[in-house]
C-alpha cells in the first residue's frame, strides 16, 4: 500500500486464497487378480509434524484419510488378512500438498500353498497314508504331513521359501523310492 492511497482515503483490498487440506486414499488389492482386499491395517505417520493414525481398508479395499495436515507421510502396511502376506516393501512415502487428493496402491500376493500328491507309478492310483517331511531351504521351517484319503497333503500359510520334500514312509505294499 502506498502513502498516496492512504492519504487520499482510497480503499485497499487484500485477497487471500485458501486451499483445502489434503486427503489420502489407500487401495489394497491382490497383485495377480487386482481384486480388492478389505481388512488390511495401515499405519500413517507424518514425517515432520507428528501426525499418526492407523486405518483399516473397508469392503471396497480402500482406507481414506480426509483433511490431514500438509506433510510428507510414511504409509506402512501392518497386517493383511489370510491368505495374503505383507509385501517385501510394506512402506511407501508420499508428500501431500495443499488441496491434493492422492492415492497409494499396495499390491500383495497370497501365501504359498503346497500340495503333495502320492500316486502309484504304474496305475496312477492314489496312495493315502504316505508320510512326507517338508524342510525350508533357507529358513527353519520343518513339518511332517501324511497324505489323506485323496492321496494329498496340503500345507497352507507356509513362509515364502524353497522347500525340500522328503518321502519318509509309505503303506504296504509300496516302498520308499531310491530318490525319496
Amino acid at each position: 500500500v502506498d502513502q498516496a492511497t492512504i492519504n487520499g482515503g482510497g480503499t485497499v483490498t487484500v485477497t487471500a486464497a485458501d486451499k483445502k487440506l489434503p486427503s489420502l486414499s489407500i487401495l489394497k488389492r491382490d497383485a495377480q487378480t487386482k481384486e480388492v482386499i478389505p481388512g488390511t491395517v495401515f499405519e500413517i505417520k507424518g514425517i515432520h509434524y507428528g501426525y499418526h493414525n492407523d486405518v483399516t481398508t473397508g469392503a471396497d479395499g480402500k482406507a481414506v484419510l480426509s483433511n490431514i495436515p500438509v506433510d510428507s507421510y510414511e504409509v506402512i502396511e501392518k497386517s493383511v488378512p489370510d491368505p495374503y502376506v505383507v509385501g517385501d516393501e510394506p512402506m511407501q512415502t508420499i508428500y501431500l500438498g495443499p488441496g491434493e487428493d492422492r492415492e497409494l496402491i499396495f499390491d500383495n500376493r497370497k501365501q504359498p500353498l503346497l500340495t503333495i500328491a502320492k500316486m502309484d507309478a504304474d496305475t496312477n492310483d492314489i496312495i493315502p497314508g504316505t508320510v512326507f517331511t517338508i524342510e525350508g531351504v533357507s529358513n527353519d521351517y520343518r513339518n511332517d504331513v501324511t497324505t489323506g484319503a485323496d492321496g494329498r497333503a496340503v500345507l497352507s500359510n507356509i513362509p515364502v521359501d524353497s522347500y525340500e520334500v522328503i518321502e519318509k514312509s509309505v503303506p504296504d505294499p509300496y516302498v520308499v523310492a531310491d530318490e525319496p
Side-chain angles (χ1 to χ4, degrees):
V1 176
D2 63 27
Q3 191 64 42
T5 303
I6 295 173
N7 292 341
T11 302
V12 176
T13 303
V14 178
T15 304
D18 293 329
K19 289 191 175 185
K20 295 173 80 177
L21 290 170
S23 66
L24 174 63
S25 175
I26 304 165
L27 175 63
K28 176 66 175 173
R29 63 186 187 182
D30 184 295
Q32 293 174 306
T33 67
K34 304 303 182 202
E35 292 179 16
V36 298
I37 303 172
T40 303
V41 177
F42 290 94
E43 178 181 23
I44 295 84
K45 296 190 319 187
I47 293 175
H48 303 289
Y49 301 112
Y51 179 90
H52 184 266
N53 196 4
D54 289 347
V55 295
T56 303
T57 58
D60 60 355
K62 288 187 177 185
V64 178
L65 296 114
S66 299
N67 300 320
I68 60 176
V70 171
D71 198 353
S72 293
Y73 291 89
E74 290 179 343
V75 179
I76 305 157
E77 183 179 10
K78 301 302 282 184
S79 67
V80 62
D82 286 340
Y84 295 94
V85 293
V86 172
D88 293 337
E89 297 181 19
M91 182 181 75
Q92 294 185 41
T93 303
I94 189 169
Y95 172 75
L96 297 175
E100 290 186 324
D101 294 324
R102 306 271 309 270
E103 179 178 64
L104 289 177
I105 299 174
F106 284 77
D107 289 333
N108 289 90
R109 296 188 178 274
K110 290 183 179 178
Q111 295 173 334
L113 179 70
L114 174 62
T115 302
I116 303 166
K118 178 65 177 175
M119 299 179 346
D120 183 295
D122 296 324
T123 66
N124 285 336
D125 290 341
I126 59 172
I127 304 174
T130 304
V131 178
F132 292 92
T133 297
I134 296 85
E135 294 179 352
V137 171
S138 60
N139 67 34
D140 61 355
Y141 181 90
R142 181 181 163 80
N143 195 3
D144 290 333
V145 296
T146 304
T147 58
D150 62 353
R152 297 178 184 273
V154 178
L155 291 116
S156 59
N157 301 331
I158 60 175
V160 174
D161 197 2
S162 295
Y163 290 89
E164 188 173 88
V165 179
I166 306 157
E167 185 177 32
K168 300 304 268 185
S169 67
V170 65
D172 289 334
Y174 300 98
V175 294
V176 174
D178 292 337
E179 294 291 324

